[in-house]
């Protein structure tokens, strides 16, 4: 199969759909890869590296969309890209269609086969192609929070790990899923004093086992949240209720009970945020202060470490790409129900139940 990798065109998107080592793997399996010139240059993947891995280089996106049988990307296609898709062509990327009727309509009109990373499932009920970005965001939340705690950023002027003779910072993580666990790992490495709250007792038991009791666990309820944030230097919001907006677990009134200069990092901002005072920010202007509490609410955190994120994404997507390329999309989706869950649009029809329901398409 000929697999095409266009350069991402969304504002400040430096990730790319495939690394040179991913290309090498596909080529070793008998496939051809066509990469748009400079697609990975911003994160240090040069055209020469792609050529050495076995790819050909296309001079523009039109050529990639014109020739490839499957298009591999990172972000949802922009309208100009949707119009380049051809009938029967496979598109494998993040789509996030439910809040995006325009993209859904354009993809349906393209007559292409659109498989979304975010709805591919695994045998444990997880979302294996979303998890790498949650790992990145969780780990980044601690470095973003540590920076925001510095005095020059409006923070309390507290070092996460303290020093000998001075107590470490108190980090509270609300939500102990992929983001929360990765945040806790980084905070532990920095020497902070950590508490994780989750409303799943099973999850809290797992966390207790994983960290061997070195992290405190608390049931997530309003009394425990109330009490923990009063003492906290850094609070990480990492909750997820699949398919729903994040619950507002910290209200504006509660900010007054916190220490001045404490920091809230709302990783759940892409689901509306779990603090009442959260609003989406960007890497260019990531923080703002409300009632003396510093907020960091960047909606696309992994984009800030685009090279690491690209490598993590290719690690996760490559096995599915290989299935689609080796067997052809029809057989690959027939054989693998988890990959089939990724099918959102197929030749003019919306084939994902939740997307169809949200946008009023027949299913
Ligand atoms: P996950 O499903 O792995 O974990 C979510 C956890 O939240 C679960 O353990 C669940 O039990 C817990 N939870 C649900 N309601 C709760 C409550 N009221 N109190 C405490 N815990 C509660 O999800 P994840 O992959 O860790 O993602 C977490 C959030 O981070 C999501 O909103 C996701 O979209 C977001 N995210 C944001 C970025 C970004 O760049 N901002 C990047 C990746 C993920």
């Amino acid at each position: 199969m000929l697999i095409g990798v266009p350069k991402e065109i969304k504002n400040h998107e430096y990730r790319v759909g495939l690394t040179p080592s991913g290309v090498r793997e596909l080529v070793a399996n008998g496939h051809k890869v066509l990469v748009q010139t400079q697609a990975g240059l911003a994160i240090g993947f040069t055209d020469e590296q792609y050529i050495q891995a076995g790819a050909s280089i296309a001079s523009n996106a039109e050529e990639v969309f014109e020739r490839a049988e499957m298009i591999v990307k990172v972000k949802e296609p922009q309208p100009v890209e949707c119009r380049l898709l051809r009938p029967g062509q496979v598109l494998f990327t993040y789509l996030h269609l439910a809040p995006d009727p325009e993209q859904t309509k354009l993809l349906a009109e393209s007559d292409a086969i659109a498989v979304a990373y975010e709805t591919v499932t695994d045998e444990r009920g997880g979302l294996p192609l979303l998890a790498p970005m949650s790992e990145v965001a969780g780990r980044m939340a601690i470095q973003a929070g540590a920076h925001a705690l510095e005095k020059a950023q409006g923070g309390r002027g507290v070092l996460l790990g303290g020093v000998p003779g001075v107590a470490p910072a108190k980090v509270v993580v609300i939500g102990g899923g992929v983001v929360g666990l990765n945040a806790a790992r980084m905070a532990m490495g920095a020497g902070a004093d950590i508490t994780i709250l989750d409303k799943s007792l099973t999850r809290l038991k797992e966390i207790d086992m994983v960290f061997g009791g070195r992290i405190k666990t608390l049931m997530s309820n309003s009394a425990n949240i109330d009490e923990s944030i009063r003492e906290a230097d850094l609070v990480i919001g990492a909750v997820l209720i699949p398919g729903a907006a994040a619950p507002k677990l910290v209200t504006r009134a509660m900010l007054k009970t916190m220490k001045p200069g404490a920091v809230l990092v709302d990783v759940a901002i892409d689901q509306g945020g779990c603090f009442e005072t959260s609003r989406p920010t960007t890497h260019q202007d990531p923080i703002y202060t409300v009632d003396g509490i510093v907020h960091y609410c960047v909606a696309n955190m992994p984009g800030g470490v685009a090279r690491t994120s690209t490598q993590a994404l290719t690690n996760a997507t490559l096995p599915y790409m290989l299935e689609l390329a080796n067997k052809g999309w029809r057989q690959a989706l027939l054989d693998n129900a988890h990959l089939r869950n990724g099918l959102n649009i197929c030749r003019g029809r919306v084939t994902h139940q939740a997307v169809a329901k949200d946008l009023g398409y027949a299913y």
Side-chain angles (χ1 to χ4, degrees):
M1 183 183 275
L2 177 58
I3 296 141
V5 186
K7 187 175 185 328
E8 294 295 319
I9 55 173
K10 211 170 168 181
N11 198 18
H12 287 294
E13 181 55 67
Y14 304 109
R15 289 174 291 178
V16 58
L18 199 58
T19 60
S21 69
V23 169
R24 193 168 146 165
E25 209 61 31
L26 286 165
V27 170
N29 276 267
H31 303 293
K32 294 196 174 105
V33 184
L34 182 64
V35 180
Q36 185 180 344
T37 184
Q38 302 199 343
L41 192 61
I43 52 170
F45 295 135
T46 61
D47 286 357
E48 289 67 37
Q49 286 172 312
Y50 280 110
I51 290 168
Q52 266 174 17
S56 315
I57 302 296
S59 50
N60 52 45
E62 285 75 11
E63 188 185 344
V64 176
F65 280 85
E66 172 70 33
R67 290 179 49 201
E69 294 162 84
M70 173 161 72
I71 299 288
V72 169
K73 276 176 52 59
V74 180
K75 295 303 281 186
E76 70 281 2
Q78 302 303 293
V80 55
E81 294 174 311
C82 288
R83 293 191 185 97
L84 289 175
L85 284 166
R86 292 183 292 106
Q89 195 169 41
V90 177
L91 171 69
F92 192 36
T93 189
Y94 287 118
L95 292 177
H96 297 288
L97 288 179
D100 195 345
E102 189 200 357
Q103 190 203 161
T104 308
K105 181 170 167 281
L106 288 173
L107 287 180
E109 283 170 4
S110 75
D111 212 18
I113 295 108
V115 183
Y117 293 159
E118 72 273 7
T119 60
V120 172
T121 52
D122 65 20
E123 55 290 337
R124 298 180 61 219
L127 300 169
L129 303 188
L130 261 191
M133 294 305 105
S134 288
E135 289 166 358
V136 169
R139 290 178 181 221
M140 248 185 116
I142 297 302
Q143 72 188 47
H147 183 60
L149 270 171
E150 290 175 18
K151 209 61 208 156
Q153 309 304 316
R156 293 195 72 219
V158 165
L159 183 64
L160 278 190
V163 289
V166 180
K170 285 194 162 59
V171 175
V172 171
V173 181
I174 311 180
V178 180
V179 167
L181 214 66
N182 279 278
R185 268 211 56 189
M186 289 298 109
M188 195 164 84
D193 171 334
I194 308 151
T195 304
I196 298 193
L197 296 99
D198 202 291
K199 67 181 177 55
S200 155
L201 200 51
T202 313
R203 193 65 189 149
L204 292 178
K205 284 180 184 168
E206 284 167 6
I207 292 167
D208 188 62
M209 291 296 283
V210 169
F211 290 103
R214 281 172 294 166
I215 286 180
K216 280 165 263 174
T217 57
L218 275 179
M219 176 49 69
S220 178
N221 54 40
S222 61
N224 280 341
I225 292 175
D226 225 22
E227 200 171 316
S228 323
I229 65 162
R230 281 169 202 262
E231 294 296 312
D233 297 292
L234 171 58
V235 181
I236 311 289
V239 304
L240 178 64
I241 301 174
K248 304 290 178 217
L249 300 174
V250 175
T251 62
R252 178 156 192 171
M254 287 159 80
L255 298 189
K256 301 222 164 46
T257 69
M258 295 178 69
K259 299 179 198 168
V263 172
L264 299 178
V265 174
D266 199 344
V267 185
I269 189 68
D270 62 340
Q271 298 291 328
C274 58
F275 311 132
E276 189 186 351
T277 42
S278 296
R279 58 172 168 80
T281 60
T282 61
H283 288 290
Q284 282 64 46
D285 192 9
I287 60 174
Y288 63 93
T289 301
V290 178
D291 296 343
I293 304 300
V294 183
H295 293 55
Y296 174 103
C297 306
V298 173
N300 65 331
M301 293 175 71
V305 289
R307 187 176 164 94
T308 303
S309 297
T310 294
Q311 289 167 316
L313 187 61
T314 292
N315 285 345
T317 54
L318 189 64
Y320 299 95
M321 252 178 240
L322 276 168
E323 272 185 65
L324 288 164
N326 288 344
K327 298 180 175 178
W329 68 269
R330 208 179 287 271
Q331 195 58 45
L333 297 184
L334 276 173
D335 288 353
N336 184 341
H338 291 297
L339 183 54
R340 194 160 66 238
N341 285 335
L343 186 67
N344 276 228
I345 300 218
C346 187
R347 311 226 56 171
R349 285 187 46 223
V350 177
T351 50
H352 193 275
Q353 193 171 14
V355 174
K357 189 165 161 255
D358 277 11
L359 296 180
Y361 282 85
Y363 175 72

